[in-house]
Amino acid sequence: MNIISNLLNSILGYFFNITGDFGIAIILLTLAVRVVLMPLSFKQKFGMQEQQKLARGLEEIKEKYKDNKVKLESETQKYYQENSKSMLGCLTSFLQLPIFFALYNVILKMPMSTATMLVPWVASLKMADNFFIIPTAYVITVLIPNLLPYVPFLSITTQAKISKTNILVSSLMSAIITFKAPIALGLYLITTSLFSAIEEIVFRIYVRRRELVA
């Protein structure tokens, strides 16, 4: 963890020297990290898509061989073997956890007087936003990827829509996370969510085109 913290701190210092603003430096740092993780992120998306295909295939197998237990068992074993190959896609989510905590550690070490032109109503990036503008912005950015399946142009047949209950729960959790969080952490989370939304849009456009060709 210390290695990651030191690396992030060095990169953050580099971006600050270029921009002269820690808020902008945090955004650039976040974008740099997400660009590095982007190949794994797309691998995760394709892996999840494959799992959903396999899940539907399993239901078809159960229905097709419901009267043949031997065949049903052999086909089910094949399904689980294929499913295990798709689990590597979850690696991106786990990789972001140490980066998140390392960045939080970097923020704690920042000078208390550190401010940013991006959030002029707060005197320090280590303070929470008492106007709740940052938490509100984060909730909105979290909602965007969850609402994409409901957009006809971006809907793909291999991915189910997220239930409205799950969308509300994720929005509530996002608000709780940033309610008293430092502004610096809020900027990181908002940038990450916006980047994820753009990734999801690009992924859906690519999949839709591939489906049309197929």
Side-chain angles (χ1 to χ4, degrees):
M1 187 69 71
N2 288 333
I3 297 176
I4 298 176
S5 296
N6 292 336
L7 177 61
L8 292 178
N9 196 31
S10 298
I11 299 174
L12 182 65
Y14 172 76
F15 285 135
F16 174 73
N17 291 333
I18 295 175
T19 63
D21 188 298
F22 268 113
I24 298 175
I26 289 172
I27 291 175
L28 292 177
L29 171 62
T30 306
L31 291 175
V33 171
R34 288 309 304 263
V35 168
V36 171
L37 295 177
M38 191 162 55
L40 289 175
S41 179
F42 276 100
K43 186 177 181 64
Q44 177 186 10
K45 293 180 185 298
F46 282 113
M48 292 176 63
Q49 184 188 31
E50 189 64 26
Q51 286 183 28
Q52 290 172 349
K53 288 181 181 179
L54 292 170
R56 286 201 298 272
L58 178 59
E59 292 299 322
E60 293 175 1
I61 290 171
K62 287 181 178 179
E63 180 64 26
K64 185 176 181 179
Y65 301 106
K66 60 183 179 182
D67 298 325
N68 188 338
K69 292 184 178 180
V70 176
K71 186 67 174 177
L72 175 60
E73 184 177 350
S74 64
E75 292 296 325
T76 302
Q77 287 178 352
K78 290 181 182 179
Y79 161 77
Y80 284 118
Q81 288 174 358
E82 291 295 327
N83 193 51
S84 64
K85 296 177 183 178
S86 303
M87 295 303 291
L88 290 175
C90 299
L91 184 61
T92 309
S93 301
F94 290 110
L95 279 176
Q96 291 190 54
L97 290 177
I99 293 173
F100 176 85
F101 289 114
L103 181 60
Y104 186 74
N105 186 45
V106 170
I107 291 169
L108 291 178
K109 295 179 180 179
M110 292 171 62
M112 189 63 191
S113 59
T114 303
T116 175
M117 64 190 313
L118 299 177
V119 192
W121 60 89
V122 178
S124 172
L125 284 170
K126 298 181 72 172
M127 296 173 59
D129 183 2
N130 293 327
F131 292 100
F132 307 113
I133 296 175
I134 294 297
T136 302
Y138 180 51
V139 171
I140 292 173
T141 57
V142 168
L143 278 173
I144 294 174
N146 293 331
L147 295 176
L148 291 179
Y150 293 92
V151 179
F153 175 71
L154 297 174
S155 178
I156 53 181
T157 57
T158 54
Q159 196 170 57
K161 293 181 179 179
I162 301 174
S163 67
K164 294 180 180 179
T165 302
N166 289 338
I167 292 176
L168 290 174
V169 170
S170 65
S171 301
L172 179 61
M173 291 300 297
S174 301
I176 292 173
I177 290 172
T178 51
F179 182 67
K180 288 297 182 181
I183 294 292
L185 197 61
L187 291 176
Y188 164 77
L189 292 171
I190 290 171
T191 306
T192 297
S193 294
L194 285 175
F195 194 93
S196 297
I198 294 172
E199 275 189 343
E200 185 67 19
I201 291 173
V202 172
F203 171 75
R204 287 177 173 274
I205 292 175
Y206 172 78
V207 172
R208 276 189 63 87
R209 288 182 177 179
R210 194 171 65 174
E211 288 177 348
L212 290 174
V213 172

